[in-house]
Amino acid sequence: ILLRRLRLSAGPGVSTKNLNDPAWMKHQLTQLDQMMDASLNHASIMTWGWFNEGPSADADACVGYAACAARAAARDPTRFRTWASNMELKDKCLDHATLISFNNYPAWYSCPHSGCNLSEPAAHWTAMAAGVRAAQPSKPFVISETGAGGIWEWSHNDTDARWTTKYQTEVIERDVDVALADATISGLTLWHFFDFKGDDGAQANCGPCDYEKGVSPPVCAYYNVTKCGGFRPGGINHKGVVDFWRREKEAYGVVAAKYKAAQRGASSVEAAA
């Protein structure tokens, strides 16, 4: 499993109109050049990317993706070229990528609407990998974003209700398991390492948590997870495997153990060969 190092130029929020605007694309390609100038010699960079979750289901947008891919290929033919696509198999621009990268959160964003179904990660990622294999058989496929939210303070709940770290772990375990088991999935990147504040709108809509007095590092005594539809309780993105203060959630150790076990298994196979 590869932990992605992806450098992104302009985006997200890009539109098809932007990608067909020569003046806009001029600045985009300048930013792409600047990104590559800054990072070309960094050994940890494995892929160049642009337009996170952009309009790639629109064939008219592909001119912009093609221009970025051509510029990156001309300057550095040694690294992959990709974008994190939430359009998945509806993406019309994949011919311009050398690495296929999909963002999705099975069993997470569907959870409050259709029920929390822990069979979704395996079914979804298996289908996506098979679809990419059929449409782009020469290109590796990676899960570029997936995961679930878990509130660190909700680490001792008896149930695995949504927002507990127990449910977060159950979702992430299944994402990791399918990636490790499916030979047509070349990499996985969990979103993300640590919790962070959402945008100002999330803070305004959801409100901050109520902190316990005199406790350090801070502990939240109360989160309203229904005030803003359960999207960003406390105005925070809780998908980290550690929290704001780097306190480990349950998923941190579980994922580390799975990666270590897979690594030991691979080493054993290599030794036997």
Side-chain angles (χ1 to χ4, degrees):
I1 294 297
L2 296 174
L3 296 180
R4 176 188 59 166
R5 287 298 301 273
L6 170 65
R7 294 306 304 267
L8 290 168
S9 50
V14 63
S15 67
T16 298
K17 181 179 179 180
N18 294 146
L19 300 180
N20 284 274
D21 180 344
W24 193 94
M25 282 301 301
K26 177 182 177 181
H27 292 295
Q28 161 61 20
L29 294 175
T30 297
Q31 288 190 82
L32 179 58
D33 284 337
Q34 292 170 342
M35 175 181 73
M36 297 182 75
D37 289 342
S39 302
L40 197 63
N41 293 323
H42 288 204
S44 63
I45 303 300
M46 58 169 281
T47 183
W48 304 113
W50 38 85
F51 311 144
N52 180 60
E53 297 188 351
S56 52
D58 184 351
D60 290 339
C62 294
V63 62
Y65 288 84
C68 291
R71 179 66 66 90
R75 295 201 57 194
D76 179 12
T78 67
R79 289 184 173 97
F80 291 115
R81 300 176 293 280
T82 195
W83 50 91
S85 176
N86 63 339
M87 301 301 172
E88 299 186 299
L89 299 178
K90 296 178 182 178
D91 196 308
K92 298 291 196 299
C93 306
L94 296 178
D95 286 346
H96 304 296
T98 58
L99 173 71
I100 309 301
S101 308
F102 287 171
N103 291 2
N104 207 311
Y105 293 83
W108 180 244
Y109 286 122
S110 61
C111 187
H113 308 293
S114 59
C116 300
N117 184 351
L118 289 168
S119 68
E120 286 183 14
H124 182 81
W125 293 124
T126 298
M128 292 303 102
V132 171
R133 186 76 169 180
Q136 301 283 341
S138 66
K139 299 175 183 179
F141 166 63
V142 300
I143 301 169
S144 45
E145 240 185 71
T146 196
I151 297 171
W152 180 84
E153 287 85 353
W154 290 17
S155 296
H156 303 289
N157 298 61
D158 292 331
T159 70
D160 61 350
R162 195 169 189 259
W163 295 109
T164 64
T165 59
K166 182 177 181 181
Y167 185 71
Q168 178 192 36
T169 301
E170 290 174 336
V171 174
I172 290 175
E173 275 189 298
R174 285 155 177 79
D175 289 320
V176 172
D177 284 344
V178 69
L180 289 170
D182 193 329
T184 61
I185 299 176
S186 298
L188 167 70
T189 307
L190 296 173
W191 181 264
H192 38 79
F193 179 56
F194 58 88
D195 292 349
F196 60 89
K197 179 184 177 296
D199 60 26
D200 290 341
Q203 184 79 62
N205 292 335
C206 298
C209 79
D210 296 326
Y211 287 104
E212 292 185 7
K213 294 181 179 180
V215 178
S216 182
V219 172
C220 190
Y222 174 73
Y223 273 113
N224 187 332
V225 298
T226 61
K227 182 178 179 182
C228 53
F231 182 60
R232 293 279 187 264
I236 296 169
N237 191 317
H238 287 281
K239 295 192 187 74
V241 293
V242 300
D243 78 345
F244 265 101
W245 293 273
R246 305 307 193 261
R247 294 176 292 203
E248 295 177 9
K249 302 179 190 177
E250 182 184 350
Y252 184 97
V254 169
V255 171
K258 286 181 179 292
Y259 284 171
K260 289 176 181 177
Q263 188 175 35
R264 286 195 299 269
S267 298
S268 299
V269 170
E270 289 174 4

